Amino acid sequence: MSSSISVPGSALTPFALVKHLENKILIDGKLTAPKSQKTFPVHNPATMDVIGQAVEANHEDVNAAVENAQKAQKEWRHMDASKRGHLVSKCGDLLDEYADELARLMTLETGKALRTESQVEAKIFANTFRFYGGLGLELKGETIPFSDSMLTLTIREPLGVVGAIIAWNVPLLLMSLKVAPALVAGNTIVVKSAEEAPFAVLRAAEIMNTILPPGVLNMISGDGPTTGEALVRHPQISKVTFTGSVETGKTIYKNSSEKLIPVTLELGGKSPMIVCEDVDLKETVKGALASMRFTRQGQSCTAASRIFVHESIFDRFLEKMKEELNNLKIGDPMDLETDVGAIISPAQHGKVLDYIEIGKSAPGATAHECSTLPDDAKLSKGLFVRPVIFTGLPNSHQVCQEEIFGPVTALIPWKDFDDVIAQANDSGYGLAATLWTNNLNRALQGVHQLEAGFVQVNQNVVVQPGLSYGGVKSSGVGKEASLEAMLEHFTHKKTILFNMG
Ligand code: NAI
Ligand code: MG
């Protein structure tokens, strides 16, 4: 490590780090024992071994975290915005030094493959802090020509203490999308991690707390109904930001409405990918694998889980896609040769298998199951699933309408462009969409007509700092990842009039 900052527990293996972190929450700048006596086990999804115990924070713990954040807010909000940004950038640089350690820890608790997923995410994670760190001076207001004898202006102020509730699929990325803009804008924050993945984010918070003033960033763990609800309902929480399921998003929206506080919700998706007949087949099939996030076991809210392929290239597309999927190695997530890891939990694993059975039982449907399950004895209890491509399912089928959050996609043939756009839009969700064509007119027509918050032509990049990200319809409320997200969702504008007359 080149950094001169001393991080407790440096250079530990993921297992030793879990020992260092278990039974702890992070309040007032340090890892601390909770008031709650309750804990829950965290598993390695690749083996189903228990790796450690996490805290189920109770009301007292939530209160302590929020009170500390509230106390820290008094100074943090008055620090120069550029200085807050500088500290957040420094966090990004330090987290980058710890990227490999964080990636390994995240792989241990989530079962995501280290090379294809966790290492990539840990880098974007660090970069998100660097990106927002540079935006302190963008917290600008306006002057308004209201009257010659008055100076009339707006200034942006922080909202107060933010409550952030995150999911397990990309825990580090989700943490950064909430913490970085909240802090640069002058808020302090309490994050509740997901039950399945509490350790990598706790470690990241510990690392960041070697730089941030105590109380600015607090991290607790626990379940939704106990810890999550207590955080959302806490009277001192003045903003909630959430990523997870539509159902939980609605509950959080309702609970927040009782306090009339602003809420950002990043929810699910059933994102379409439309492939026209003029594409480069090989590149587009690669794009389909990336868009569907097969290397993340399909556990992505933007997963291209409905792939509409022009009928003239449908058979070739299917064959090529099967060939590419067969080349992916499913195995030990920690092994750098592995492309695809395990599903997060028995509940999610069961849900995915149920959907595969539902699809298989539809008349005329075929499930093309690809690649092979690992035969390593130590992975025999692991939650692995072979990637599946369904053909013969209409867009109206349950498998094409409900979010599966697993490595399951449906290939649907089309021949009329207006009709395929209508099918793509025939969904309760509207998070992301991709369109693959070399025809400029079609591309322009498509990007205007697709009902989604994030639309890409001939590519599919994951969330990137700087690009506003967020859905329409059931996919959510608000934007993340951009300057706009920080200004609109983590500040309010105060209007000020000076009478100089
Ligand atoms: P979930 O939405 O229930 O959990 C996400 C987070 O919300 C966790 O931290 C959980 O503890 C918390 N939570 C749950 N109930 C709460 C409440 N009443 N108040 C406050 N916080 C609460 O998602 P879950 O159960 O992990 O996954 C179920 C489905 O949700 C998945 O199959 C998938 O379809 C979808 N999902 C979507 C994600 C996305 O990226 N948009 C991420 C994770 C899941
Ligand atoms: Mg749930």
Side-chain angles (χ1 to χ4, degrees):
M1 293 289 148
S2 61
S3 171
S4 56
I5 294 165
S6 146
V7 174
S10 258
L12 294 177
T13 66
F15 290 98
L17 270 175
V18 169
K19 292 285 156 242
H20 166 70
L21 298 163
E22 73 173 342
N23 298 321
K24 301 269 174 29
I25 51 180
L26 195 145
I27 296 185
D28 202 21
K30 43 194 182 298
L31 287 180
T32 151
K35 292 276 188 297
S36 165
Q37 300 297 313
K38 273 202 184 165
T39 59
F40 58 91
V42 180
H43 296 87
N44 172 357
T47 60
M48 283 313 286
D49 294 339
V50 173
I51 58 168
Q53 297 290 323
V55 171
E56 187 178 303
N58 65 15
H59 270 79
E60 276 184 274
D61 296 313
V62 172
N63 286 347
V66 177
E67 276 162 25
N68 271 289
Q70 178 81 11
K71 211 166 69 193
Q73 231 268 307
K74 296 200 173 79
E75 280 188 30
W76 183 250
R77 67 181 289 145
H78 294 299
M79 187 185 280
D80 290 349
S82 58
K83 186 153 178 228
R84 287 197 304 261
H86 178 65
L87 293 178
V88 169
S89 293
K90 267 175 76 177
C91 288
D93 290 342
L94 188 60
L95 291 168
D96 197 37
E97 289 182 30
Y98 282 83
D100 197 55
E101 176 198 287
L102 289 167
R104 282 171 197 278
L105 185 53
M106 182 166 62
T107 281
L108 182 66
E109 65 188 352
T110 63
K112 296 199 293 183
L114 183 62
R115 188 193 89 251
T116 56
E117 289 294 328
S118 298
Q119 287 179 338
V120 179
E121 182 181 335
K123 287 285 173 188
I124 302 178
F125 173 64
N127 280 338
T128 305
F129 289 98
R130 289 171 167 148
F131 165 72
Y132 275 110
L135 298 180
L137 288 180
E138 294 300 322
L139 291 153
K140 296 177 221 168
E142 300 117 352
T143 56
I144 298 145
F146 180 63
S147 156
D148 256 7
S149 64
M150 280 187 213
L151 175 61
T152 305
L153 56 117
T154 61
I155 59 170
R156 289 192 180 270
E157 293 191 337
L159 299 173
V161 182
V162 174
I165 294 176
I166 58 177
W168 42 264
N169 59 329
V170 273
L172 289 173
L173 177 65
L174 298 180
M175 172 185 168
S176 64
L177 293 176
K178 300 183 184 327
V179 171
L183 297 194
V184 172
N187 307 279
T188 55
I189 193 163
V190 178
V191 183
K192 189 200 83 65
S193 54
E195 295 89 311
E196 297 81 355
F199 292 127
V201 291
L202 184 57
R203 176 63 171 161
E206 185 188 25
I207 293 169
M208 291 176 68
N209 267 284
T210 61
I211 292 173
L212 298 170
V216 166
L217 164 61
N218 307 273
M219 175 76 61
I220 57 176
S221 53
D223 71 2
T226 315
T227 318
E229 287 224 16
L231 183 62
V232 170
R233 289 180 179 279
H234 195 288
Q236 304 300 318
I237 290 290
S238 41
K239 154 87 195 183
V240 173
T241 170
F242 169 73
T243 300
S245 66
V246 176
E247 280 319 304
T248 300
K250 286 181 183 168
T251 304
I252 287 176
Y253 214 13
K254 271 191 213 126
N255 291 341
S256 307
S257 75
E258 285 172 25
K259 295 191 291 174
L260 296 174
I261 59 169
V263 178
T264 307
L265 303 172
E266 294 293 340
L267 310 176
K270 199 71 194 174
S271 299
M273 167 171 181
I274 299 176
V275 181
C276 296
E277 63 274 39
D278 61 8
V279 296
D280 175 331
L281 196 80
K282 201 167 150 221
E283 286 307 308
T284 311
V285 166
K286 275 195 195 150
L289 264 61
S291 302
M292 185 48 220
R293 309 276 187 269
F294 276 113
T295 57
R296 200 190 299 154
Q297 301 75 258
Q299 299 170 138
S300 163
C301 42
T302 54
S305 44
R306 299 181 294 144
I307 305 182
F308 298 93
V309 182
H310 191 271
E311 60 174 15
S312 64
I313 58 168
F314 188 87
D315 292 342
R316 283 194 296 139
F317 194 94
L318 172 64
E319 283 318 305
K320 186 74 193 151
M321 200 166 156
K322 278 163 53 179
E323 185 187 317
E324 291 286 333
L325 279 176
N326 283 329
N327 287 336
L328 292 182
K329 183 177 176 219
I330 307 175
D332 179 357
M334 217 53 101
D335 184 343
L336 290 174
E337 305 261 291
T338 295
D339 299 302
V340 179
I343 301 272
I344 188 78
S345 66
Q348 286 296 125
H349 187 247
K351 175 180 164 186
V352 173
L353 296 182
D354 285 350
Y355 273 110
I356 295 173
E357 286 313 309
I358 292 170
K360 279 181 178 171
S361 67
T366 308
H368 306 268
E369 291 174 282
C370 301
S371 189
T372 47
L373 294 177
D375 58 7
D376 186 339
K378 80 172 195 288
L379 305 177
S380 63
K381 296 202 178 105
L383 306 173
F384 298 95
V385 175
R386 296 171 70 194
V388 180
I389 308 169
F390 271 109
T391 53
L393 288 178
N395 182 56
S396 56
H397 189 273
Q398 194 182 353
V399 162
C400 303
Q401 289 292 319
E402 295 175 9
E403 187 177 48
I404 299 175
F405 230 64
V408 182
T409 193
L411 242 59
I412 303 170
W414 64 273
K415 56 174 180 236
D416 175 72
F417 191 67
D418 289 331
D419 179 60
V420 76
I421 294 282
Q423 287 195 63
N425 289 339
D426 184 9
S427 164
Y429 292 106
L431 190 52
T434 64
L435 174 59
W436 302 71
T437 182
N438 288 310
N439 179 324
L440 188 58
N441 281 335
R442 267 195 179 166
L444 281 173
Q445 197 187 334
V447 295
H448 284 292
Q449 290 178 354
L450 283 164
E451 294 167 4
F454 202 85
V455 180
Q456 301 183 59
V457 176
N458 296 335
Q459 65 161 23
N460 192 320
V461 296
V462 296
V463 174
Q464 299 289 327
L467 304 181
S468 259
Y469 176 82
V472 295
K473 302 199 241 178
S474 290
S475 293
V477 176
K479 297 283 176 192
E480 290 199 308
S482 59
L483 170 62
E484 169 202 2
M486 174 173 80
L487 298 178
E488 291 184 10
H489 302 305
F490 291 103
T491 72
H492 76 92
K493 265 188 188 176
K494 181 185 273 179
T495 304
I496 301 173
L497 296 92
F498 284 95
N499 189 341
M500 313 297 279

